[in-house]
Amino acid sequence: MNTAKSKVVIKGTKDGLVFFMDDTCSFSELLDDLREKIEHSHPQFFSGPLIRITLKLGKRYCTPEQQEELTQIIRMKGNLVIHMIDSDVILKEEVYKEDKAPGLIVQTNTVRSGQVLEYDGDILLLGDVNPGGTIRSTGSIFVLGNLRGVAQAGTNGDKDAVIASACLHPTQLRIAEVISRPGDEWSDYSGTTEFAYLEEDRMVVAKMNFLHRLRSDLGKKKA
């Protein structure tokens, strides 16, 4: 197997085995590679005494059903015991803190091809927007997954709205009346954790660590 294309990397620690999951591939690809690893590799690990397993999901959000699919594959080997499933994705409990943005809507699902989801206010989507799918909101849009479809923020004309994603790779973005697609105008576009905003009625894409500074500048203008 070509390890460069591996979706699952297994490393041993003093506490057991850690499975590092690729958070950029499709979930079906991840399942296939995990099943291949469990069935046909590392025989020295997958037999003998009990071994504790930690799953590292990175920036991938997995529903409880998807987590169960992963654990069922690992349980094919009787000596493997799931110890922990760890993800870098923000949990719902962390979003609902007192200092959260007012009116923030939290939604957990995948926007599939042909689907159009519309919201009133800022939306935090714990999932992906697939090619052919559309998400619209009167406020800002934050996608903690792959944004590969269409996102329209500020549909009521709010030019201060932003569109952010853990993996920004859309077919089209729209903020208020400004429409943009990946291309020459996005010279710094990399398809990683970035956000889009309007600057003098032009779509601009920047790294996520610039968002707090932009919000601060907007706050000063409104004061």
Side-chain angles (χ1 to χ4, degrees):
M1 176 179 294
N2 187 347
T3 57
K5 296 181 180 180
S6 182
K7 305 298 185 296
V8 180
V9 175
I10 302 173
K11 294 186 178 181
T13 71
K14 61 182 179 64
D15 298 318
L17 296 178
V18 180
F19 287 56
F20 293 91
M21 307 293 194
D22 187 333
D23 55 13
T24 61
C25 66
S26 69
F27 186 68
S28 61
E29 289 177 314
L30 186 67
L31 289 179
D32 289 342
D33 196 58
L34 178 61
R35 191 176 293 106
E36 173 71 21
K37 290 289 196 308
I38 294 296
E39 292 179 349
H40 303 295
S41 68
H42 302 288
Q44 72 276 21
F45 292 148
F46 302 151
S47 62
L50 294 179
I51 300 177
R52 297 203 306 178
I53 304 298
T54 298
L55 301 184
K56 294 282 189 178
L57 301 178
K59 294 180 180 178
R60 179 188 299 274
Y61 173 77
C62 285
T63 65
E65 292 78 14
Q66 289 175 325
Q67 292 185 23
E68 180 62 22
E69 288 186 72
L70 294 172
T71 56
Q72 285 296 335
I73 293 175
I74 290 175
R75 287 172 185 157
M76 291 168 59
K77 299 296 183 181
N79 68 316
L80 303 184
V81 180
I82 299 291
H83 169 60
M84 181 173 61
I85 299 178
D86 184 33
S87 173
D88 295 335
V89 172
I90 299 174
L91 300 176
K92 285 185 178 180
E93 293 79 10
E94 296 178 35
V95 175
Y96 285 109
K97 291 181 180 179
E98 291 183 359
D99 60 349
K100 75 178 180 66
L104 180 66
I105 302 166
V106 180
Q107 186 73 26
T108 304
N109 63 278
T110 294
V111 183
R112 305 189 185 282
S113 178
Q115 287 185 312
V116 178
L117 298 187
E118 299 191 48
Y119 302 94
D120 185 11
D122 294 339
I123 171 69
L124 173 63
L125 179 69
L126 305 182
D128 298 331
V129 181
N130 288 343
T134 299
I135 181 169
R136 298 178 183 144
S137 177
T138 59
S140 295
I141 296 173
F142 303 91
V143 179
L144 293 186
N146 297 292
L147 174 49
R148 296 179 292 171
V150 176
Q152 300 178 3
T155 55
N156 61 351
D158 183 6
K159 294 184 179 182
D160 292 335
V162 302
I163 301 172
S165 174
C167 186
L168 189 64
H169 202 291
T171 53
Q172 183 191 97
L173 296 181
R174 178 171 179 169
I175 299 177
E177 299 302 319
V178 179
I179 300 175
S180 185
R181 297 176 178 83
D184 295 338
E185 71 248 302
W186 293 7
S187 58
D188 296 328
Y189 175 79
S190 66
T192 56
T193 306
E194 295 168 321
F195 74 101
Y197 66 100
L198 295 185
E199 186 175 274
E200 298 180 353
D201 290 330
R202 185 176 68 89
M203 189 85 69
V204 178
V205 174
K207 295 295 183 183
M208 194 67 78
N209 56 11
F210 178 69
L211 180 57
H212 75 283
R213 195 168 75 191
L214 174 67
R215 288 300 199 190
S216 177
D217 291 343
L218 289 175
K220 292 177 182 177
K221 290 178 181 179
K222 293 180 178 180

